[in-house]
Amino acid sequence: MIDMAGSKKDKVQKGLAQRASGPLSKQLPTMTVGALERALLKEFPAADAEAWDRTGMTVGDPARLVEGVAVALDPTVDAVEEAASMGANVLVTHHPAFLQPPDSFSPASSVAANPGALVWAAVARGVALLSYHTALDVSAQAQRVLPGMLNLQFRSVEVPLASSKRKGYGQRCTVKAGDGPLTLGQLAARCTSVFARQPRVWGDFSRELERVVTTTGSAGDVAATALRDQVDCLVCGEIKYHEALALSQAGLTIVELGHDTSELPLAAVLAAAVEGAGVPGELITIIDQGDNWSYPETTRV
């Protein structure tokens, strides 16, 4: 899971405070919010995203100078407040602020109470909202995240884009030399160790794996393609029950991590892209959203 030690967070907050005034502000390169948006769109082009998605800036003034950047998986009211409290005037997220425009905008404690609450909070706090959702999902930068965390050898994209075989959904992997034989049970245990959460597993734990496909978020078309390609195991964020049942009975084992669990590491990819765009690293922080839910204790008291 992505975490930030207290000392590093203190350093970031100190840097943000210095950015607002003092000699440090004169030494930092100036960048507008619009320039940051354009730089990130070069890394994660809107043309690569799904037609229904929203990519880039949904809220903000492109002419404002970037004072600090917070990065998160989800754009929530709490994330906006946390970004503003640390002096960041840009919140870069994986998921967009909305897909369909809200019908109204007014203060509320949550987006559930009022879908326009997030936009209201961002405008009120002066925080621009930028998101790179499916454009990030299909990017070359995101391809190595799950395979790297699970010590798998990335081979190719499972479902390539029509415009590029090097970009797309899902990562076809093999077990690294010297790491096998790897069973489904061992891979599931590795997922538990890496992500600090127990996955839901479909299949015989003793089955040895050679070909594994990983994908963040919803499995989508990757699941059926993995079965067609005679893959041994699919590691995904989430999959519908009846689809998982049918696929597992057809011979595909499945490790279901949890949608957010599989995507939280992508915040680090976004943070690296923000720094690569020219924002100093000390002005970038990742908001930890790994505690939105939890499992109950396994032992009853």
Side-chain angles (χ1 to χ4, degrees), residues 9-10 42 64 79 92 104 107 185 200 209 215 218 241 245 261:
K9 191 169 185 178
D10 291 343
K42 289 182 179 180
R64 284 194 63 184
V92 179
S104 63
R200 183 161 67 166
L209 309 176
T215 188
S218 300
Y241 168 78
L245 179 63
T261 299

Side-chain angles (χ1 to χ4, degrees), residues 1 35-36 39 50-51 94 101 104 131 133 141 160 188 191 250 257 275 290 301:
M1 303 297 293
L36 176 59
E50 297 292 336
H94 181 212
S104 63
S131 63
H133 184 204
Q141 296 91 321
C191 290
L257 301 173
E275 186 168 8
V301 295

Side-chain angles (χ1 to χ4, degrees), residues 31 39 53 57 74 84 103 127 185 220 251 258 260 276:
M31 172 179 286
D53 202 4
M57 183 161 55
D74 294 305
D103 294 327
V127 176
D260 57 339

Side-chain angles (χ1 to χ4, degrees), residues 161-209:
L161 296 181
S163 59
S164 173
K165 292 184 178 181
R166 300 178 65 181
K167 294 181 179 182
Y169 295 99
Q171 301 83 42
R172 191 180 302 176
C173 309
T174 57
V175 176
K176 286 186 177 180
D179 195 29
L182 180 68
T183 67
L184 175 63
Q186 289 169 332
L187 179 59
R190 183 176 296 177
C191 290
T192 302
S193 176
V194 168
F195 296 102
R197 286 216 169 129
Q198 296 175 349
R200 183 161 67 166
V201 182
W202 301 77
D204 182 354
F205 274 36
S206 66
R207 178 173 171 179
E208 293 187 3
L209 309 176

